[in-house]
Amino acid sequence: MQIPFLDIYITDATVITIVTVILFIINFLLAGGLVFLERRSAQSVWAWILVLFFLPIVGFILYMLFGRTIYRQNLFKLDEDDKVGLEHLVSEQLEEIKHNRLTFSNAVAEKHKKQIHMLLYNNQSFVTSNNDVTTFTDMNNKFAQMLKDIENAEDHIHFQYYIFKLDIIGKELYRALLKKQKEGVSVRILYDDIGSRSLSLRNFSDIRDAGGLVEAFFPSKLPLINPRINNRNHRKIVVIDGKIGYIGGSNVGDEYLGRDPKMGAWRDTHLRIEGNAVKSLQLRFMLDWNSHDTRNNMKHEDHYFPEIDSVGETTMQITSSGPDEDYQQIKYGYLTMIYRAQHTIHIQSPYFIPDQSIMEAIRIAILSGIKVRIMIPSFPDHPFVYWATYSNVASLMKMGAEVYMYQPGFLHQKVFIIDDEVVSVGTTNVDNRSFILNFEVNAFMYDDEEAVKHRKIFEEDIRHCEILTAEKYEKRGLWIKMKEGLANLISPIL
């Protein structure tokens, strides 16, 4: 090819060379940005540098889809009055804790007021002490109760899920929500655009035509490509009339009811809450909703935050985290629990790929004589994630941790318990994706009855597990060892 007006010929080989040089320059600039501009862990930086340099074209595409961070922008905004009110409540509780004036409903909460202070200080997770909690380990029971609560709703229903499938259970919930909207109950639905990739706003036309409001979180403006594929809203929140709240691990889909032969008897944990902690769930939903619906912003109205008579005695904090925050709040909550444990630590998570801080804390706990029990699935739903999980728990097993692999189906709950005193249940897995990339929410409960209840559930689950032994682990084949090695190499970006 000849360039007009110039006596220069460009061959195909020259074009390839120019493109290659440009790609390497882009890779170099991206690598420099990772190292000097973005706030990442050293492990994550090195993992992305390896991807960029060894896969110049594919690595660039992967980085644009999965690697970009959300800069600390004000994504979730409150009205000034709400902001001032929340800050006043938090500062008042911090001051009361500092001067030993905050009254807790039980001695366990008093014992763990340092953790309460930490989550108050860096997450504005105000503490409530009048909560009644129902725990579901069978999602058939969870959805049966949720449908009853929806039927009894009188004012509003706020419905937020990472995955919402319009299968058998999804359609049943959809019909229930549509019925209430037609009866005059205000319905808002927020789903994640990637988690619920089979949905579009057209699927909710009946509810929208009836006056209900529906939004997708970080929707894609490009067909088949979502530039925010790596920063997803993994939260599961339902608030009914400002008096009843749901939080936990399960999404909306038939597989969560054990109806998928491939996944088997699904094992999850979800909470139904009555009490002032529902106000925290309402506030979290409000923030998430307002981040994506600028025309129908929710404002602080009394009917969203009704006065709640004392219904229980569980002390609780609702804590959220996400890539827009300066701190990894829920990870800090887990770390504090590990370091404060005196006797036992119980962990259930489908994905166990913690960063160095969590791994070191658990190692220290094991070496200190604390009994550590970890439960994971016995088979993967995401292969690379699973083999990194398998390798991590095996390393702790060799140090003395008890590792259990759930057999009947897929284990999906995210439960963390210490000393029969503190328990966390929510959406947060023990991995960097949950700690850094996704938007998550957990309930931290300071209550010996709740902690004992969840520890007994753990022990019941053990009856359906195979224990991982050193002999079993050493018998794994070469192919599994290779998958573990690759998974560990890229685990900081999984």
Side-chain angles (χ1 to χ4, degrees):
M1 179 179 71
Q2 183 177 12
I3 298 179
F5 311 112
L6 296 175
D7 190 20
I8 298 175
Y9 289 87
I10 297 179
T11 65
D12 290 343
T14 305
V15 172
I16 293 173
T17 301
I18 293 172
V19 171
T20 302
V21 170
I22 291 173
L23 285 173
F24 273 103
I25 291 173
I26 292 173
N27 277 339
F28 178 80
L29 293 175
L30 280 175
L34 280 168
V35 174
F36 298 110
L37 299 179
E38 294 191 355
R39 297 173 58 184
R40 297 176 182 265
S41 67
Q43 298 97 320
S44 178
V45 167
W46 279 113
W48 274 116
I49 287 175
L50 286 172
V51 170
L52 288 168
F53 277 100
F54 283 100
L55 300 171
I57 299 175
V58 176
F60 174 74
I61 296 173
L62 289 174
Y63 179 80
M64 295 305 295
L65 289 175
F66 298 102
R68 296 184 304 146
T69 60
I70 293 180
Y71 291 101
R72 301 311 190 251
Q73 55 191 341
N74 196 10
L75 180 63
F76 302 105
K77 299 178 181 179
L78 280 175
D79 284 345
E80 193 60 34
D81 289 345
D82 292 335
K83 183 178 179 181
V84 170
L86 177 61
E87 290 176 347
H88 175 73
L89 173 61
V90 169
S91 61
E92 185 177 60
Q93 288 192 340
L94 285 171
E95 191 69 16
E96 289 177 344
I97 290 176
K98 181 179 178 181
H99 294 94
N100 295 315
R101 293 198 304 265
L102 187 60
T103 302
F104 297 105
S105 60
N106 58 66
V108 169
E110 177 69 28
K111 179 179 177 180
H112 293 275
K113 65 182 180 181
K114 290 294 184 183
Q115 175 164 338
I116 293 173
H117 183 283
M118 185 269 295
L119 293 175
L120 261 171
Y121 185 80
N122 75 4
N123 194 234
Q124 295 189 320
S125 301
F126 58 89
V127 58
T128 60
S129 297
N130 68 330
N131 303 293
D132 182 70
V133 181
T134 303
T135 299
F136 297 101
T137 58
D138 183 333
M139 296 307 102
N140 289 278
N141 296 333
K142 168 211 165 180
F143 285 118
Q145 181 62 54
M146 184 180 289
L147 285 164
K148 290 179 182 178
D149 290 333
I150 290 173
E151 175 61 30
N152 293 327
E154 298 178 347
D155 185 77
H156 63 268
I157 302 168
H158 297 153
F159 196 88
Q160 175 179 349
Y161 274 95
Y162 171 63
I163 296 174
F164 188 175
K165 293 183 179 179
L166 289 176
D167 48 17
I168 296 173
I169 185 59
K171 288 179 180 177
E172 190 173 1
L173 285 163
Y174 182 91
R175 289 192 294 268
L177 293 169
L178 175 60
K179 178 176 180 289
K180 298 309 292 187
Q181 179 62 49
K182 289 181 176 179
E183 291 175 0
V185 174
S186 173
V187 173
R188 279 183 165 89
I189 300 172
L190 179 63
Y191 66 90
D192 185 82
D193 190 62
I194 294 297
S196 306
R197 63 180 64 87
S198 63
L199 292 183
S200 70
L201 294 179
R202 291 191 300 272
N203 294 110
F204 298 94
S205 57
D206 290 340
I207 285 181
R208 296 172 75 197
D209 289 344
L213 299 174
V214 184
E215 289 293 334
F217 190 89
F218 275 169
S220 175
K221 297 180 181 179
L222 300 172
L224 304 178
I225 298 176
N226 192 314
R228 282 299 177 198
I229 194 172
N230 219 28
N231 301 121
R232 307 316 313 173
N233 197 317
H234 197 234
R235 296 168 183 147
K236 296 96 177 170
I237 295 172
V238 175
V239 177
I240 298 171
D241 291 344
K243 299 177 181 178
I244 298 170
Y246 285 84
I247 180 176
S250 80
N251 293 288
V252 176
D254 286 346
E255 66 268 35
Y256 297 90
L257 302 176
R259 296 173 181 170
D260 184 343
K262 178 183 176 182
M263 305 308 289
W266 193 277
R267 176 66 184 86
D268 224 318
T269 297
H270 221 88
L271 305 180
R272 179 185 184 270
I273 302 169
E274 292 182 89
N276 280 335
V278 179
K279 298 180 189 294
S280 294
L281 291 173
Q282 185 82 287
L283 182 61
R284 181 68 266 168
F285 179 88
M286 179 184 292
L287 288 165
D288 286 4
W289 179 268
N290 288 350
S291 71
H292 281 73
D293 189 341
T294 56
R295 293 169 300 173
N296 299 290
N297 265 6
M298 292 179 65
K299 299 183 184 299
H300 186 106
E301 298 175 12
D302 290 342
H303 64 109
Y304 291 144
F305 300 93
E307 291 297 322
I308 298 176
D309 295 331
S310 180
V311 293
E313 296 184 349
T314 298
T315 298
M316 181 184 301
Q317 287 176 290
I318 302 297
T319 300
S320 56
S321 65
D324 60 310
E325 301 282 357
D326 289 322
Y327 303 108
Q328 299 169 37
Q329 291 96 334
I330 295 176
K331 187 188 85 169
Y332 287 4
Y334 286 170
L335 271 173
T336 304
M337 289 174 69
I338 295 168
Y339 281 122
R340 291 189 62 82
Q342 298 294 311
H343 307 289
T344 59
I345 299 172
H346 291 79
I347 302 170
Q348 290 174 304
S349 178
Y351 317 122
F352 189 85
I353 316 175
D355 62 11
Q356 196 67 18
S357 64
I358 294 283
M359 284 295 283
E360 290 295 336
I362 295 176
R363 290 187 186 116
I364 291 170
I366 295 170
L367 294 173
S368 301
I370 295 170
K371 187 174 186 177
V372 175
R373 288 172 157 180
I374 303 171
M375 191 177 294
I376 64 169
S378 60
F379 62 89
D381 66 336
H382 300 294
F384 279 119
V385 175
Y386 183 76
W387 295 116
T389 292
Y390 193 58
S391 176
N392 285 327
V393 296
S395 70
L396 296 175
M397 175 268 296
K398 292 177 180 178
M399 294 184 64
E402 296 177 10
V403 175
Y404 299 93
M405 303 171 68
Y406 190 75
Q407 298 295 310
F410 192 71
L411 180 134
H412 188 254
Q413 71 264 36
K414 306 91 170 61
V415 178
F416 217 107
I417 318 163
I418 64 163
D419 291 348
D420 285 351
E421 293 181 348
V422 183
V423 56
S424 174
V425 177
T427 68
T428 309
N429 298 302
V430 186
D431 63 7
N432 282 327
R433 175 164 298 280
S434 280
F435 294 155
I436 300 173
L437 299 175
N438 283 343
F439 299 91
E440 307 280 5
V441 63
N442 275 38
F444 287 85
M445 295 177 282
Y446 310 90
D447 186 289
D448 52 0
E449 290 186 9
E450 287 298 320
V452 169
K453 177 175 70 178
H454 284 274
R455 190 255 299 160
K456 288 181 177 179
I457 292 172
F458 188 106
E459 291 173 346
E460 176 64 24
D461 288 336
I462 288 177
R463 296 177 60 244
H464 306 286
C465 290
E466 178 182 351
I467 191 166
L468 179 63
T469 63
E471 293 76 18
K472 175 179 172 59
Y473 183 69
E474 292 304 324
K475 288 180 181 178
R476 72 199 191 284
L478 178 61
W479 179 232
I480 292 179
K481 293 178 181 179
M482 292 175 63
K483 288 191 287 187
E484 282 184 4
L486 179 58
N488 282 324
L489 183 65
I490 63 174
S491 62
I493 59 176
L494 286 176

